[in-house]
């Protein structure tokens, strides 16, 4: 069985947000004061594993665990272990802020996690604290080191670049990636929900500007390989490091979209930049253990996957949910 949407795109990639909670409060992602979902509304680890299995039985080859911060969810390793054993799954991956990796890197690897994306927006401790509001840079750097020591290869850093906050650090970030044998992606900020202390429009920095900045210090060779995702990659000098640019504003990548997202409360989002969704929690709670009914609901949901994203309407954000509830 496979999941093909109305625009003939094959859906092979599921991103699962396992919690909306986080130990950071990044300025572009969350407000300082947050009300999180009550636990009863969040899918249990058991329900998450059942949904993961249903998707792999429908042809999904890759699952990425994200959040919120996945590693703050209690007993989340049990979920990694279950998903890591799914037949038909080629890749289990994780996006994390890195703060808990010194504790979990080894276990993640033995649970079958293949690759890690670690978010890192600044290499300056004071600035890192301002961007995350509470995060400690040293802990994240130690987490990156722990992940390398655990044997993870081609770890990818994710940096959201904001014009007045960290755009002057892109050269340092690429140099850091190169020195530590990492890849790095620069992300244009997406207008998801409204956040306080931060005016998104004033902070926008396009991938093109970043590439121009970097080309003064590095030789960037465009790579033709496509990941089916929004990143476009360049090789840095003669190193193994690749630099990617995720440009939801300046480059449209919807035609090759192969993914859907499951929110922590069990809403299957068919597109990051649209509100089209189906409530899978209602299905798993009404018919616990009924995998056939769950799979039928997923097949039906794919029929409403929109053709492309529309983050804004008349220049106003139209998506009201924040990234931590979406599963970025
Ligand atoms: N807590 C984990 C982390 O920070 O890596 C996983 C969840 S976080 C929502 C996933 C990614 O989304 C991070 O790389 C973060 O920088 C990015 N992100 C959050 N809000 C964003 C926004 N408004 N626009 C673009 N990227 C955003
Ligand atoms: Fe937490 Fe990740 Fe959002 Fe930062 S980007 S607040 S680390 S969920």
């Amino acid at each position: 069985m496979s999941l093909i949407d109305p625009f003939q795109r094959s859906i092979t990639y599921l991103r699962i947000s396992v919690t909306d909670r986080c130990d950071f409060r990044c300025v572009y992602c969350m407000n300082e004061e947050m009300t999180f979902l009550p636990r009863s509304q969040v899918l249990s680890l058991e329900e998450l594993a059942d949904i993961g299995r249903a998707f792999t039985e429908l042809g999904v080859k890759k699952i990425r665990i994200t959040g919120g911060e996945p590693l703050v969810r209690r007993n989340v390793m049990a979920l990694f272990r279950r998903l890591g054993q799914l037949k038909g799954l080629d890749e289990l991956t994780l996006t994390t802020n890195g703060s808990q990796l010194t504790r979990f890197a080894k276990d993640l690897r033995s649970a079958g996690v293949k690759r890690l994306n670690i978010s890192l927006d600044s290499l300056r401790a004071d600035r890192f604290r301002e961007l995350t509001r509470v995060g400690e840079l040293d802990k994240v750097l130690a987490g990156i080191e722990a992940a390398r020591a655990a044997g993870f290869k081609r770890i990818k850093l994710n940096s959201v670049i904001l014009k007045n906050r960290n755009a002057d650090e892109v050269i340092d970030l690429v140099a850091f990636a190169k020195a530590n044998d990492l890849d790095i992606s620069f992300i244009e900020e997406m207008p998801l929900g409204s956040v306080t202390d931060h005016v998104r429009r004033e902070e926008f920095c396009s991938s093109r500007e970043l590439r121009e900045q970097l080309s003064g210090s590095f030789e960037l060779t465009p790579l033709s390989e496509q990941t089916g995702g929004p990143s476009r990659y360049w090789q840095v000098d003669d190193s193994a490091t690749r630099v990617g640019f995720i440009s939801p504003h300046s480059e449209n990548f919807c035609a090759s979209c192969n993914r859907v997202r499951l929110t922590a409360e069990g809403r299957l989002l068919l597109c990051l930049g649209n509100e089209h969704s189906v409530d899978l929690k209602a299905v798993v709670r009404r018919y616990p253990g009924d995998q056939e009914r769950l799979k039928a609901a997923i097949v039906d949901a794919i029929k409403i996957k929109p053709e492309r994203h529309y983050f804004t309407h008349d220049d106003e954000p139209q998506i009201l949910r924040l990234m931590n509830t979406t599963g970025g």
Side-chain angles (χ1 to χ4, degrees), residues 63-324:
I63 294 181
R64 175 174 296 283
I65 301 299
T66 179
E69 174 48 41
L71 298 180
V72 302
R73 174 137 188 199
R74 190 178 307 159
N75 206 19
V76 73
M77 290 310 305
L79 176 67
F80 283 107
R81 285 192 290 272
R82 290 227 6 218
L83 295 177
Q85 286 170 7
L86 286 177
K87 286 198 194 72
L89 188 65
D90 292 343
E91 250 197 326
L92 177 61
T93 62
L94 164 68
T95 299
T96 173
N97 65 22
S99 68
Q100 312 290 319
L101 276 176
T102 47
R103 243 172 98 201
F104 290 118
K106 267 195 199 145
D107 291 349
L108 286 165
R109 192 142 163 80
S110 47
V113 174
K114 292 263 169 39
R115 286 192 304 119
L116 293 181
N117 285 0
I118 305 176
S119 300
L120 181 70
D121 300 332
S122 174
L123 290 163
R124 304 183 197 172
D126 51 345
R127 193 181 264 188
F128 185 85
R129 166 63 61 103
E130 278 168 29
L131 278 163
T132 58
R133 293 202 186 94
V134 286
E136 285 174 42
L137 176 64
D138 283 352
K139 273 198 188 158
V140 175
L141 296 181
I144 295 172
E145 212 30 63
R148 294 181 65 206
F152 282 101
K153 302 275 182 262
R154 302 259 42 94
I155 295 167
K156 184 162 76 80
L157 303 177
N158 276 339
S159 307
V160 174
I161 299 299
L162 307 176
K163 190 174 236 130
N164 302 307
R165 298 253 196 184
N166 60 350
D168 56 350
E169 264 195 81
V170 289
I171 292 171
D172 290 352
L173 283 162
V174 171
F176 174 83
K178 221 181 126 184
N180 291 283
D181 202 24
L182 310 166
D183 293 331
I184 183 164
S185 278
F186 293 114
I187 307 175
E188 288 177 359
E189 185 184 7
M190 293 174 237
L192 294 181
S194 77
V195 282
T196 49
D197 317 330
H198 174 64
V199 183
R200 297 193 196 271
R201 196 176 297 122
E202 288 172 9
E203 295 284 1
F204 179 67
C205 195
S206 77
S207 295
R208 182 187 296 264
E209 287 170 68
L210 299 185
R211 272 197 298 276
E212 276 167 18
Q213 213 194 118
L214 287 170
S215 62
S217 300
F218 303 98
E219 196 174 311
L220 298 181
T221 313
L223 293 170
S224 54
E225 87 194 66
Q226 300 276 319
T227 56
S231 261
R232 297 289 168 265
Y233 286 101
W234 273 254
Q235 198 81 43
V236 181
D237 298 336
D238 53 0
S239 72
T241 294
R242 297 174 313 162
V243 55
F245 298 90
I246 303 180
S247 325
H249 288 282
S250 50
E251 289 159 34
N252 188 284
F253 44 72
C254 300
S256 61
C257 182
N258 61 353
R259 64 200 57 196
V260 289
R261 294 175 161 79
L262 182 70
T263 69
E265 55 182 336
R267 216 157 49 105
L268 185 67
L269 290 172
L270 283 313
C271 171
L272 186 58
N274 276 286
E275 296 290 4
H276 300 58
S277 71
V278 167
D279 183 4
L280 291 185
K281 182 174 69 191
V283 180
V284 293
R285 297 226 164 141
R286 180 132 190 237
Y287 308 102
D290 188 341
Q291 287 292 105
E292 291 314 310
R293 208 180 277 263
L294 175 56
K295 283 197 273 185
I298 295 169
V299 170
D300 275 352
I302 300 301
K303 293 181 189 153
I304 61 161
K305 184 167 165 65
E307 185 172 15
R308 51 158 300 168
H309 64 64
Y310 295 96
F311 288 120
T312 52
H313 180 69
D314 290 342
D315 218 25
E316 288 301 319
Q318 69 154 5
I319 302 294
L320 303 177
R321 61 189 137 76
L322 292 169
M323 192 63 129
N324 69 307

